[in-house]
Structure formats: structure tokens, C-alpha cells
Amino acid sequence: MDLTFRAQWVAAGFSGDELRGFVRTGRLTPVRRGSYVRGDLPDDALARHILQVRAAMGELASDAVVSHVSAAVLHGLRIWGVRLDRVHVTRRRPTGGRCGALVHVHSATLDPLETVMIGGVPVTSLARTVADLGRMLPFEQAVVFADAAMFHKRPDRLEKADVLAVLDHEPRRPGTRAARRMLDFATGLSESVGESRSRVAIAAAGLPPPVLQWEVHAAATGAFIGRVDMAWPKQRTVGEFDGLVKYGRTLRPGQDVGEVLVEDKLREDALRDEDLGVVRWIWRDLSNFGPTAERLRSRFRPA
């Protein structure tokens, strides 16, 4: 979706009254003061935030670099549990940060190597973005971002060493200890927000860390049965996070959700035939994981 600015319209000969008329009739929709899109804003919150970023960068100082949550959006990371009502930028100066209604300006040192260009906009590198988020966000949200950046199928997947280098550069900066904890916990094997949040909930419940993306084969024939989200092989127990998106992504052409559910039931039966306890949970269970943790403990066999 193209972003246009008031100055462009004025330079093309349109008056302020005409622009206001375009807004009233829906021909133009303001993104922020002085910037517009033709027609309506996109329904997708991430697409709207990208427009807000581009509009804000047209008004900010030339040394402003998109950072934090806004950088995560531009890098295409999974987004969960954070507000998108403000554009986050960092300026290379020791003081002078401010948080307004539309823009949060952070002040910090910023190495030129920690800046990349995305769509013609300067953005903090993936490593610097994850480090910044680890310093600023609660543990669960930070882990979601770190897991997404390190995801093993991501073409430019992040290595822990790259984030450590950023943290080591300013070891006394506030939040660095929390960022290191996030990084120690993060993994490239979590395939969704739900799986990342599940790992945090499992750890908070005091359960042993699971093996992720564990492949199950039939003991008798060696035939592949399936890959489970999480497993405790010694305890003969597997765990599956069931998000609705999961089923949409596994549909084959012409297949409906009902078929997927039947296949999933047959797969679960095959897992139980291998003497594995199976525990499933959904989004709402993540807000109160205690009952799910007890179900997992009840399925655990003595190691």
C-alpha cells in the first residue's frame, strides 16, 4: 500500500480544502498528521504499523533508526504481547529519549554495524533488535521474539553469539542480565508463539525441559509415526500445543479441517500404541498452566 504525504499533494497542485474533502469521502485515510493512504487502512495490525513507521520516519531527525518492537515488525518476527500503537526508534546520543503518543525515541549508543536497511528504512540489525527487546520486555515476550529470530527455518536466522556480542559491548546497560537470561533460554526449534510460550510455562511450573520436535517411530517396524512439539522421552510422555493456525497450515489442496482432525486423532492413537502418554493444550491453558502441568506430571513414567 502506497504512503503519500501532504507535501506531495500540495506540490501537485491540490489545496488543503481538497485534501480534507478526500479524507471526508474516504478517498484518503490519514496514517498520521500529514501522511495518507488511498482508501482504507489495512486490516492487518502489522501492515498498519509498517505504514506508521514509514510515516514517522519522514518527520524524525536523520539519525533516527527504527528499533525495538518496530524493528521486530520490519524484520518479520512473530509478534505477541506487545503494543503496536507507538513507533520505536533509537537515536545515537547518550540522553534525550522521550515517549510520546505516537513515537518512542530511545537514546543509546548504536554501532554502524548494528544498522541495516529494510525497504529503504534504517533499522537495527536482528541481533541488536533482539538484544534491545531482551533488555526491555518481560521474559515471556522476549523469549517469543528471540525464538522467532533464531528459528531454524528462517533464511537469516540469528545465532546466539551475535546477540552475545551486542550484550558484551555494553555489559552494564540496564536490562542486560535479563537479556542474557532470555538468550540462554531461547531456541531455534520453537515453531510458533504458542510453542515458545509453552516452554516458558513448562519451566515456570518446574517441569524438566522437553525435547523439541521429537520424531516418533514405531518400535516394531521403525515406521515414522509423527513429529511432536515436545517430548520427555525418559518419562514416555509427549506434549502438543494446539493452535488453530496449526491446522490451517497443514491443509493440502482440497482438504478440510475435519480431515486434518481425523488424521490427528489417528496419529495420537498411534502414539499411545507406542506406550506414550499424550497431553494436549490450547491458547487459554497458557494463561493458567497449572492444570496442564499436573496432567503432564500424571503421565510421566518413572525415569
Side-chain angles (χ1 to χ4, degrees):
M1 181 172 284
D2 291 334
L3 183 72
T4 62
F5 294 90
R6 177 183 175 86
Q8 294 173 303
W9 288 96
V10 171
F14 292 91
S15 67
D17 286 342
E18 287 176 304
L19 289 176
R20 286 187 287 272
F22 292 160
V23 171
R24 281 196 304 271
T25 59
R27 180 175 173 183
L28 294 177
T29 300
V31 175
R32 56 183 290 142
R33 185 176 180 181
S35 59
Y36 314 90
V37 292
R38 291 179 171 85
D40 296 327
L41 289 172
D43 293 332
D44 181 67
L46 300 182
R48 291 198 303 271
H49 190 74
I50 291 172
L51 286 172
Q52 292 164 1
V53 168
R54 292 170 56 200
M57 291 301 284
E59 300 178 5
L60 295 171
S62 60
D63 66 338
V65 177
V66 180
S67 63
H68 295 79
V69 173
S70 297
V73 172
L74 294 189
H75 279 292
L77 299 185
R78 304 171 198 142
I79 307 296
W80 173 81
V82 294
R83 295 171 55 175
L84 294 175
D85 55 340
R86 292 187 182 94
V87 172
H88 289 258
V89 300
T90 294
R91 295 188 63 189
R92 298 182 182 91
R93 53 184 183 176
T95 60
R98 58 182 173 83
C99 184
L102 299 177
V103 178
H104 188 157
V105 178
H106 303 262
S107 296
T109 59
L110 187 59
D111 190 290
L113 295 177
E114 294 174 347
T115 301
V116 298
M117 298 298 291
I118 299 178
V121 175
V123 182
T124 51
S125 67
L126 197 54
R128 174 60 186 259
T129 299
V130 170
D132 284 341
L133 293 171
R135 289 174 172 132
M136 181 182 77
L137 293 177
F139 181 72
E140 187 176 14
Q141 286 93 322
V143 166
V144 168
F145 282 113
D147 282 0
M150 295 170 55
F151 182 46
H152 66 103
K153 294 181 181 178
R154 182 183 174 94
D156 61 340
R157 67 180 180 273
L158 185 63
E159 300 293 339
K160 287 191 177 185
D162 296 327
V163 185
L164 280 174
V166 174
L167 297 175
D168 289 343
H169 186 64
E170 293 183 283
R172 296 186 178 181
R173 187 172 169 187
T176 295
R177 181 177 296 180
R180 291 184 185 279
R181 178 176 172 240
M182 165 208 72
L183 191 61
D184 286 342
F185 191 81
T187 177
L189 292 177
S190 279
E191 297 193 337
S192 68
V193 170
E195 289 183 26
S196 294
R197 292 188 62 201
S198 295
R199 292 196 309 110
V200 174
I202 286 166
L207 295 168
V211 176
L212 304 182
Q213 314 308 331
W214 191 52
E215 293 189 351
V216 182
H217 295 263
T221 65
F224 177 72
I225 294 174
R227 180 167 57 89
V228 296
D229 296 337
M230 302 176 190
W232 292 263
K234 291 182 179 179
Q235 289 83 6
R236 305 300 297 165
T237 302
V238 300
E240 293 269 71
F241 169 75
D242 290 331
L244 291 177
V245 175
K246 178 178 185 176
Y247 295 112
R249 287 181 178 170
T250 56
L251 293 180
R252 296 187 296 273
Q255 187 181 34
D256 61 31
V257 173
E259 291 179 78
V260 175
L261 293 174
V262 170
E263 289 181 2
D264 211 45
K265 176 63 169 62
L266 294 174
R267 173 176 169 273
E268 183 171 326
D269 290 342
L271 292 172
R272 296 185 192 280
D273 288 343
E274 294 301 314
D275 194 31
L276 291 169
V278 181
V279 177
R280 312 183 82 100
W281 58 90
I282 59 178
W283 278 108
R284 67 168 178 259
D285 297 320
L286 295 176
S287 299
N288 178 23
F289 200 71
T292 302
E294 287 308 310
R295 284 196 291 130
L296 284 166
R297 288 191 181 95
S298 71
R299 301 297 196 282
F300 282 178
R301 317 288 174 79

